[in-house]
Amino acid sequence: MDWTLEYDSTTQTLEAWGADQSATLSLQNQAVGTLTLHFPGMMDADTPFAYKGKVVLRLNEDIVFRGIALEPEREGEGNSEGITIQFVDAWWFLTQGTLTQTIYDKGQSAAARTGTLTSGSATVTVGSTTGLVVGMTVAGTGIPLDATISALGSGEFTLSVHATADGEQSLRFLTGTPSTLYAVFARLRLGSGVVRSTIAQTLSDIITACDVHHAGGVMQFGACHGDAFSLLPQPVDVQGTFETAMRTALGFAPDAIPVLNYATDPPTFDFYQRAAAEAQSVAFGDQQVMISQQIHERRDLLVSGVRIIYHRFLTDGTPATSIDSAGDSSGPGVIQVEMQLYAPTSPPRVVPAVVETQWLKTVPTIEDDTDWWFKNAELGVKTKDDITIDTGTPKIGLDPDAPENEGITGTDLDDVSGCDKRIVEGSIPAWLSDTAHLRYIRVGAFLNLTIWNDPDDEAKGKRKVKRRIILKFAATDLGTNLYENTVVAERVEGGTYDPENPPAGVAAAILAAQSVLQFQGSIQLTDDDCAVTFKPGQVLNVTGAEQEAWAAMDAQIQTVTHQIHLGTTVISFGPAEHLAPQDYLEIMRRLMRWKPALDLAARADDTTSGGGGDGAIHHPSTQVRFGITQADNVLEQKDVDSMGSIERVTVSGKEVWSDGTTTITVDCSGKVISIVGAESKQVLIDLDDLPASAVAKFRLQEFCEGGVTYTAYVLMTAPTVV
């Protein structure tokens, strides 16, 4: 019989891989299963197994282990050197990474809108897909739980599942964000709030989440065998690894053991309670098989009776005592437990409402009003009367350069969702996101402006300028107001809750569990090959012994260790260590007094239960980028002198001077291009006739005559030295 190891599509014996005779396979209940191989030789040698490389261990073609390689341990002492590599099974992944649960935050949602559904179809028609992104969760009538947007089209999107209703429906869109908390025994689902989970469903969720966390292909959920897995325990917030959550879930099925099925890829987790576990037998006295055994009857765990004393309170607050007993509670071997139950609450008191507020100041966007442009743009004009707006402008739409509008193109940029008010102060609160919107928009227009050289002295002339102005800013559809949101409504606390009553049947449940004789010990088997059919989670019986009770002891196997080359298997079995009476009490007490874990409802759909003294939930507000960004281009400019007799018009890179009689055109460098006289006479100046050092330009000259100073525009060249 051959042991082989497969790695990277190569299958060969352990010896062919270079391993010595010390190979060990150890499988444990609720712990990492390991395959340990030692490679003698130089401790600095290369190893054929990469970190996290997948391996499969087989015995005669049957898969008995599936795992990944960890980093090698290199050791050397004197002349002895070597490398040890440990391969770990899927439980190792449960110890790597923090379990998180998706929480839906309305502050990250797109606007609610009406969608047209067709039952059995994944296509949803909407008026606009603005703000929608692939991966968003969709909720509404006819939308299955956990449905998301898988693709976006023009005026429609595709669901990840088929709709279950027809016609127009109101839909909500939310983006999930991970939380470092996970509510065991509860699922937070958009549109339905808190959904209580059975132990089986919780185990499935944990395994699925772990597989997703590690990019898939490391584990999968199989099935649960036993009545306890259908229980609905109290939801509990767990903060820690996937392993922590797994142990918490299994605490409510205390005799349950997870079993890894290595034959599947990825390995499958199955869970068995003692009564549903597969039974394995070994024949006592078969010297070829059983070479040592230790079997102890745990009569010290047997009880003849259970007596629970509850210290409780009557409705009026008077202390009282109740006793729950089962079996012979007066003799030896009695478990006696005392438990303090809750007293009635304090007298009723009014707890005021918790209200959060948000101040928001906005100003209307009236893009076709010159007064709006005068107040919001930097134009350099004196009054709004110095502004005229070209016909056909302005135009308003989403700013394509804003990061918030990334991916929006075409006609979708025209949809500003009624956001016609510029945000001056404040933010958009998350609790208004269903009815309010935040958009980053731009407004563009062609403006004809009159700009005075001296606003206080119009006699000094003016300029006529035509400019294309673009303003960009944050806008909303909310008006100026102090908005309020009631986080927790006014309520009455205390005085309405009865004292905790003793749970019924606890003593009988403990007696039933503790009155069955438990067996504990270990058995070592040896043969040509290891007894790989024995696995943690099975129950063990020993037949052929004078102790007839061993044949039906159903002792749970906790650990199986194989010395591969020796053909030796050591099986450790015994009762679960977490079946103490106090644990049973706490478990049953939780089942009777079910309450949601902290703020589960609020985490699921942005509401709050308002009870339990958990306090208010304060929602974050969307951060707004304030201010106006302005961009403009000068399309045409006309200067008028103080006498109003000579105009200079700048257009297309040329200057045109005119006094109404003569027009002179000058290029961008100041060279004269042409002169047109009053009688349609035109004088063309050949620029090549002018020396480079004597460029003709208009110059402002001052001269004095009769004690009066005059200014004149004169076409002249620069003086030359003679």
Side-chain angles (χ1 to χ4, degrees):
M1 295 185 179
D2 293 326
W3 288 87
T4 59
L5 188 68
E6 177 186 342
Y7 170 72
D8 196 21
S9 301
T10 299
T11 301
Q12 54 188 1
T13 64
L14 300 181
E15 291 81 359
W17 284 110
D20 63 12
Q21 302 291 309
S22 63
T24 302
L25 177 63
S26 179
L27 308 178
Q28 304 179 61
N29 171 28
Q30 297 190 43
V32 180
T34 61
L35 168 65
T36 305
L37 300 180
H38 181 72
F39 300 85
M42 302 298 292
M43 63 177 292
D44 58 350
D46 292 332
T47 65
F49 305 102
Y51 177 66
K52 287 190 176 181
K54 295 182 178 181
V55 299
V56 178
L57 181 68
R58 292 181 175 89
L59 175 60
N60 301 325
E61 303 302 323
D62 293 327
I63 297 176
V64 296
F65 179 82
R66 188 185 296 270
I68 62 170
L70 297 184
E71 291 287 0
E73 298 180 6
R74 303 175 184 272
E75 300 176 347
E77 183 176 353
N79 294 326
S80 175
E81 293 184 69
I83 300 173
T84 300
I85 299 180
Q86 191 173 72
F87 303 88
V88 292
D89 66 7
W91 190 277
W92 181 83
F93 289 99
L94 294 173
T95 68
Q96 307 296 308
T98 301
L99 183 63
T100 61
Q101 188 165 16
T102 299
I103 294 177
Y104 297 98
D105 178 5
K106 283 189 176 180
Q108 298 185 7
S109 66
R113 64 200 71 187
T114 299
T116 303
L117 309 180
T118 301
S119 181
S121 171
T123 301
V124 180
T125 303
V126 290
S128 171
T129 58
T130 300
L132 303 184
V133 296
V134 172
M136 271 188 169
T137 299
V138 186
T141 301
I143 305 295
L145 287 175
D146 299 331
T148 60
I149 297 175
S150 61
L152 286 171
S154 178
E156 65 181 26
F157 62 85
T158 304
L159 289 169
S160 59
V161 293
H162 289 165
T164 58
D166 292 309
E168 292 187 347
Q169 307 292 345
S170 179
L171 305 179
R172 290 191 298 154
F173 305 87
L174 287 148
T175 301
T177 56
S179 164
T180 56
L181 290 179
Y182 185 94
V184 175
F185 309 122
R187 310 179 81 192
L188 311 185
R189 309 182 82 167
L190 176 61
S192 64
V194 180
V195 179
R196 291 180 62 186
S197 292
T198 62
I199 297 175
Q201 183 62 60
T202 296
L203 293 171
S204 174
D205 290 345
I206 294 170
I207 290 170
T208 301
C210 183
D211 186 66
V212 172
H213 177 80
H214 292 288
V218 299
M219 65 180 67
Q220 59 184 328
F221 175 77
C224 291
H225 306 273
D227 295 336
F229 295 108
S230 61
L231 294 177
L232 286 168
Q234 172 190 0
V236 179
D237 270 343
V238 174
Q239 199 164 15
T241 63
F242 298 97
E243 182 183 49
T244 302
M246 180 82 82
R247 293 183 185 279
T248 301
L250 290 174
F252 286 80
D255 61 344
I257 292 181
V259 178
L260 267 172
N261 180 2
Y262 299 115
T264 63
D265 186 14
T268 301
F269 271 101
D270 294 305
F271 297 85
Y272 293 86
Q273 279 190 277
R274 182 182 182 186
E278 177 188 2
Q280 288 277 19
S281 297
V282 60
F284 182 78
D286 187 344
Q287 296 302 316
Q288 184 180 5
V289 175
M290 183 184 299
I291 61 174
S292 69
Q293 58 278 328
Q294 294 179 358
I295 303 176
H296 307 290
E297 293 182 349
R298 294 299 306 274
R299 294 188 179 276
D300 57 312
L301 299 179
L302 285 174
V303 298
S304 59
V306 178
R307 176 183 173 91
I308 306 174
I309 302 174
Y310 295 103
H311 299 286
R312 51 173 299 210
F313 296 87
L314 303 180
T315 304
D316 60 2
T318 303
T321 299
S322 295
I323 298 177
D324 180 18
S325 61
D328 182 5
S329 59
S330 59
V334 174
I335 294 177
Q336 180 164 306
V337 181
E338 296 189 23
M339 177 172 284
Q340 180 68 59
L341 302 184
Y342 297 137
T345 57
S346 58
R349 64 186 181 93
V350 176
V351 180
V354 178
V355 179
E356 55 183 341
T357 60
Q358 178 65 61
W359 165 251
L360 187 67
K361 180 179 180 181
T362 62
V363 294
T365 302
I366 312 174
E367 65 275 10
D368 57 356
D369 184 1
T370 56
D371 186 54
W372 183 85
W373 286 97
F374 177 72
K375 293 178 178 178
N376 290 277
E378 297 180 2
L379 303 175
V381 297
K382 185 176 180 180
T383 68
K384 67 177 183 178
D385 297 329
D386 295 329
I387 306 171
T388 60
I389 304 174
D390 265 13
T391 304
T393 63
K395 183 178 180 181
I396 186 170
L398 297 177
D399 177 13
D401 299 324
E404 293 80 2
N405 298 329
E406 183 179 358
I408 302 176
T409 59
T411 57
D412 288 339
L413 289 171
D414 298 331
D415 181 14
V416 298
S417 302
C419 294
D420 58 353
K421 300 176 183 64
R422 180 169 69 88
I423 300 176
V424 180
E425 297 177 16
S427 299
I428 302 297
W431 33 269
L432 277 178
S433 60
D434 277 348
T435 56
H437 305 89
L438 171 65
R439 298 288 184 268
Y440 287 91
I441 67 174
R442 71 175 183 180
V443 181
F446 292 99
L447 304 181
N448 298 297
L449 310 174
T450 298
I451 301 176
W452 297 93
N453 295 328
D454 185 346
D456 297 325
D457 186 1
E458 295 184 358
K460 292 184 179 180
K462 59 188 177 183
R463 286 175 293 148
K464 297 288 187 177
V465 181
K466 183 175 183 179
R467 295 162 63 185
R468 180 173 181 263
I469 306 295
I470 296 177
L471 301 183
K472 301 178 180 181
F473 49 84
T476 183
D477 48 2
L478 293 177
T480 299
N481 200 359
L482 179 65
Y483 292 91
E484 294 184 350
N485 176 52
T486 301
V487 179
V488 179
E490 180 180 276
R491 64 193 187 279
V492 176
E493 280 190 354
T496 58
Y497 303 105
D498 293 331
E500 182 180 13
N501 291 317
V506 176
I510 294 176
L511 180 64
Q514 300 293 111
S515 60
V516 177
L517 180 61
Q518 300 279 354
F519 293 83
Q520 183 173 350
S522 65
I523 291 177
Q524 182 172 336
L525 308 176
T526 187
D527 207 335
D528 293 336
D529 271 306
C530 298
V532 296
T533 57
F534 292 88
K535 302 173 184 177
Q538 297 173 336
V539 292
L540 180 66
N541 296 306
V542 177
T543 61
E546 292 187 10
Q547 298 292 326
E548 297 181 358
W550 293 0
M553 64 182 182
D554 284 342
Q556 281 186 300
I557 298 176
Q558 302 292 333
T559 303
V560 178
T561 302
H562 304 288
Q563 297 292 334
I564 291 177
H565 290 285
L566 299 178
T568 300
T569 299
V570 178
I571 304 169
S572 299
F573 55 88
E577 296 179 356
H578 44 271
L579 290 180
Q582 190 66 29
D583 294 320
Y584 269 111
L585 288 172
E586 288 300 322
I587 290 171
M588 296 198 68
R589 186 179 185 188
R590 287 176 181 176
L591 293 177
M592 292 185 61
R593 296 181 59 83
W594 177 81
K595 286 184 180 180
L598 179 63
D599 294 334
L600 287 188
R603 288 160 51 178
D605 55 14
D606 208 29
T607 61
T608 180
S609 60
D614 296 334
I617 303 169
H618 293 280
H619 302 81
S621 295
T622 303
Q623 297 299 313
V624 177
R625 293 187 280 106
F626 293 104
I628 298 178
T629 301
Q630 178 173 326
D632 60 80
N633 297 318
V634 176
L635 304 179
E636 183 176 306
Q637 179 171 302
K638 180 185 294 184
D639 289 347
V640 181
D641 70 357
S642 59
M643 302 301 293
S645 57
I646 297 179
E647 291 185 349
R648 181 182 67 178
V649 178
T650 303
V651 59
S652 301
K654 295 184 258 185
E655 292 186 1
V656 180
W657 297 70
S658 176
D659 62 358
T661 302
T662 303
T663 300
I664 302 173
T665 303
V666 183
D667 72 2
C668 58
S669 66
K671 294 181 179 180
V672 175
I673 298 176
S674 65
I675 302 176
V676 180
E679 298 178 0
S680 300
K681 295 178 180 179
Q682 180 168 328
V683 179
L684 297 179
I685 299 176
D686 189 345
L687 300 182
D688 293 334
D689 293 340
L690 297 175
S693 61
V695 177
K697 292 186 178 182
F698 278 96
R699 306 183 187 279
L700 182 64
Q701 297 292 319
E702 293 187 359
F703 59 92
C704 183
E705 185 176 326
V708 179
T709 301
Y710 297 92
T711 60
Y713 293 98
V714 181
L715 178 64
M716 57 189 297
T717 61
T720 57
V721 179
V722 298

